[in-house]
Amino acid sequence: MTADVGVSFVMPVLNERDYLEHAVASVLAQDVDGPTELVLALGPSTDGTTALAEALAAADARIRLVDNPAAHIPVGLNAAIRASRHPIVIRVDAHSELSPGYTRRAIATLRRTGAANVGGVMSADGRTAFQKAVARLYNSPVGLGGGAYHGGAREGEAESAYLGVMRREVLDEVGLFDESIRRGEDWELNLRIRQAGHLVWFDPELSVTYWPRESWWRLARQFHATGAWRGELVRRYGRSNGLRYFAPPALVVLLVVAAVVGALQLTGVLRGILSLIASLVYLPLVAYALLVIAVGLAPGKRSVRERLWMMLVLPTMHLSWGLGFLAGVLRGAGDIVDASRLGDRNTPLP
């Protein structure tokens, strides 16, 4: 890369009226030694997002628009990448905001490490008590922890990268996002990048503010879809998936087994020593319940509402994800999408 390098930001957009303007502003404010562009892939929004995007594009020549009628994230990302022109491609989410200096630091890290893709920390934040509760759990090892970008402190080689600052030449080599994958498409792309012998790098100095879903129902739908697609990825790629992905479905299985044991004990089918042995299944569930309570009561400046939401949100994340995962493993993800930004909240889970 030369000293002055062009940067293409790509952003899939669907029903993001409340977040889009701030996300776009954080991109356009980036300090870059070279030309920049922001390509928005517009899905069929119903909340006025498209009109807002058109107004933003009319006000700044750096913004370009492409259509994403299918509304699928990888399809929109690929359309935006194909329409973009510069050697550095930076994925941006409409529900997020880049920190000042993000792009300059990321390009410097690409040069320093020789990596093909660089990512940083997904720093979740909230405006309401519910969003704040979700954000705390996103940033916690007991909530959405595991990947370095959920709170890792050490710089180094990574399995995947949040959003991603990518070299176009590597994207051309390994192919773009797999459009048959509706969730987890970034993990799958980074798997191909690593299999091709390239480096994926985590830099904790890079930070992106992420705004979680605004309601319990939308959060549950999001996690169900994400879990289903992780199950699909396990079907496709087996042991390439980390062991941490199996914890939520294990919790679901334990709950089912405990319910069966309880029913057998109440009806007298299980009794005596067999009933006592079978009761051991309750121990990890009691430990989990204590963990949920401990999370809500942990020291820190939090309102009572936020603490109560944390004790509801944590099992919601785990159980929705785990149920989706089991469905994805057993029958595949099929046409399941993240419906948390689509339709009416009374629509049942797909």
Side-chain angles (χ1 to χ4, degrees):
M1 283 181 287
T2 60
D4 293 339
V5 59
V7 176
S8 295
F9 298 91
V10 295
M11 181 192 299
V13 179
L14 178 67
N15 289 330
E16 295 288 6
R17 173 82 191 186
D18 294 338
Y19 295 90
L20 180 60
E21 194 164 3
H22 292 288
V24 167
S26 77
V27 169
L28 299 181
Q30 295 294 302
D31 180 20
V32 180
D33 292 331
T36 63
E37 63 180 348
L38 169 59
V39 185
L40 304 180
L42 301 179
S45 297
T46 58
D47 67 345
T49 293
T50 299
L52 174 59
E54 291 170 346
L56 293 171
D60 196 310
R62 291 174 292 177
I63 301 175
R64 301 166 58 208
L65 308 178
V66 296
D67 289 329
N68 178 23
H72 298 315
I73 290 175
V75 175
L77 285 169
N78 286 349
I81 292 169
R82 293 187 183 106
S84 66
R85 300 166 290 197
H86 298 307
I88 299 297
V89 176
I90 299 181
R91 176 179 175 177
V92 190
D93 189 89
H95 231 58
S96 65
E97 297 172 26
L98 302 183
S99 61
Y102 176 90
T103 302
R104 181 177 290 276
R105 168 81 187 194
I107 292 174
T109 302
L110 280 175
R111 289 175 174 150
R112 173 171 56 86
T113 63
N117 190 10
V118 168
V121 175
M122 184 186 77
S123 181
D125 201 354
R127 295 165 180 163
T128 65
F130 175 80
Q131 257 193 337
K132 289 177 181 177
V134 177
R136 288 187 185 277
L137 293 171
Y138 264 63
N139 298 329
S140 167
V142 301
L144 203 61
Y149 52 84
H150 290 305
R154 295 180 60 185
E155 182 177 12
E157 188 173 353
E159 176 186 14
S160 187
Y162 176 56
L163 299 181
V165 179
M166 299 165 276
R167 299 176 187 264
R168 181 182 296 274
E169 64 208 43
V170 175
L171 289 177
D172 291 339
E173 176 189 343
V174 304
L176 304 183
F177 290 92
D178 185 336
E179 295 184 4
S180 72
I181 298 174
R182 302 293 181 244
R183 302 287 293 175
E185 71 286 339
D186 48 354
W187 178 88
E188 188 277 337
L189 174 62
N190 282 291
L191 175 63
R192 280 186 281 126
I193 288 173
R194 290 185 288 110
Q195 287 176 338
H198 300 290
L199 189 64
V200 177
W201 195 261
F202 170 71
D203 183 352
E205 295 301 316
L206 298 173
S207 178
V208 179
T209 299
Y210 173 78
W211 302 99
R213 297 298 187 269
E214 302 88 346
S215 72
W216 176 85
W217 181 241
R218 294 184 184 277
L219 181 76
R221 296 173 82 178
Q222 177 193 19
F223 271 73
H224 179 270
T226 303
W229 277 100
R230 177 54 58 180
E232 174 69 30
L233 291 173
V234 167
R235 286 169 64 97
R236 297 190 190 190
Y237 301 104
R239 295 181 64 184
S240 296
N241 295 267
L243 288 176
R244 68 180 183 274
Y245 297 121
F246 294 84
L251 174 63
V252 173
V253 171
L254 270 175
L255 281 170
V256 172
V257 172
V260 172
V261 169
L264 294 176
Q265 289 173 327
L266 287 173
T267 57
V269 176
L270 273 180
R271 61 183 68 181
I273 188 65
L274 288 179
S275 178
L276 184 63
I277 293 173
S279 295
L280 293 175
V281 73
Y282 301 130
L283 293 180
L285 295 178
V286 171
Y288 180 78
L290 292 175
L291 172 65
V292 171
I293 294 170
V295 165
L297 298 179
K301 189 176 180 181
R302 306 182 182 105
S303 68
V304 173
R305 288 188 65 194
E306 186 179 338
R307 292 178 181 278
L308 291 174
W309 272 124
M310 288 178 71
M311 287 188 278
L312 177 60
V313 164
L314 183 60
T316 296
M317 286 180 168
H318 293 160
L319 295 177
S320 297
W321 202 98
L323 285 167
F325 179 94
L326 292 172
V329 166
L330 293 174
R331 64 173 186 261
D335 293 328
I336 291 177
V337 297
D338 176 9
S340 61
R341 295 177 191 168
L342 294 171
D344 187 89
R345 68 186 60 195
N346 293 320
T347 303
L349 286 169

